[in-house]
Amino acid sequence: MALLMIAPWAPESSYGRLWASRIRERMPGIDLRHYPNELGDTAEIEAALAWMPPAGLLASLPNLKLIHSLGMGVDSLLSDPDLPDGVPVARVVDDDLIQRMSEYCLHALLHYHRDADKYDRDKAAARWDPAMAPHARERRIGVMGVGAIGRDLAAKLVALEFDVAGWSRSPKGMAGVESFHGADGLEPFLARSQYVVCLLPLTPETEGILNAKAFAAMPKGGGIVNAARGGHVVDADLIAALDGGQLAFAKLDVFRQEPLPPEHPFWAHPKIRITPHNAGITNPATAVDQILENYRRALAGEPILNTVDLSRGY
Ligand code: NDP
Ligand code: OXD
């Protein structure tokens, strides 16, 4: 029995070595193989730990009992048209990663809430021009997706006294957070949210959800933070909303194509801030135990933790 790691980073990179050393430390004697060089006999592979696997690869492993995402998102696994039937798909749900994601979003939101770009411009012009920022309770923030990450972010925003709403598929009862849900709840949610943070999974229902219609529904002069997936944003609609003044800013961590190509107009856009999909990088030190617990469960035929509902896509 073997665990196959299918990852876009090289096993000899520092991140690759961190994963391998942590896995071997926590499960001595494990037959850990890296795709493609150590694939070996595919019949011996009983679990795959994957991020962006080549389409069809998982289906070529005849004795697979578990497909485990290397991160919280699973879109790069579920987009495989040949995803094998009947094999559970699990994801990482890790407090370390959740904290990093909330921190990223808070940093972005506070940046705009306190008008940090103005003070950068003022510094460049040696201009001393203090202005009073609105109180947090006058700032209406909308969190799209209040699952593991969005719920944590919303609670932290409430603790800072922001006026917070969440949008999800099912209604929520979070203290201090106005709950909107379903297709009918989207427009009123957007209409009350000056700043919108996207923390949705990428599914056929959420693809392109941040589009011209959504931006037009938001109050003029607001902005978005997208730390979920690039496929949530319609790029041309975002640029038009920024250029036309409907939106004042966008902070983007994720893109339809990653790395973001040098010729992409987002790079040079003055109202867009970019980070290279590092809002929350899975930390092997904290995530490996739950992955190996699932590996043990798969081998023992026990129920798997943090499984994905394939019909919902998350
Ligand atoms: P969860 O699965 O825990 O939560 C998803 C939330 O989205 C839920 O509240 C769910 O509603 C809601 N949702 C899903 N589909 C819809 C829909 N059609 N309409 C309305 N609401 C919907 O996800 P996580 O919080 O764990 O992660 C969210 C995403 O963050 C990941 O899928 C990944 O893409 C991204 N991510 C990005 C990282 C980065 O570094 N940039 C790092 C980690 C994650 P309900 O509660 O009703 O089910
Ligand atoms: C994730 C990510 O989904 O890093 O975990 O994007």
Side-chain angles (χ1 to χ4, degrees), residues 72 91 146-149 168-170 172 205 227 229 253 280 314:
M72 291 186 80
R91 70 191 191 108
V146 277
I149 302 167
S168 44
R169 262 161 61 116
S170 50
K172 307 285 175 212
E205 285 177 31
R229 286 292 181 265
D253 185 55
Y314 69 98

Side-chain angles (χ1 to χ4, degrees), residues 72-73 75 91 97 101 145-150 167-170 172 199-202 205-206 227-229 253-254 277-281 312 314:
M72 291 186 80
D75 46 293
R91 70 191 191 108
L97 187 42
M101 289 295 287
V146 277
I149 302 167
W167 182 69
S168 44
R169 262 161 61 116
S170 50
K172 307 285 175 212
L199 289 168
L200 290 165
L202 185 63
E205 285 177 31
T206 65
R229 286 292 181 265
D253 185 55
V254 284
H277 198 149
N278 72 335
I281 293 175
R312 290 188 321 185
Y314 69 98

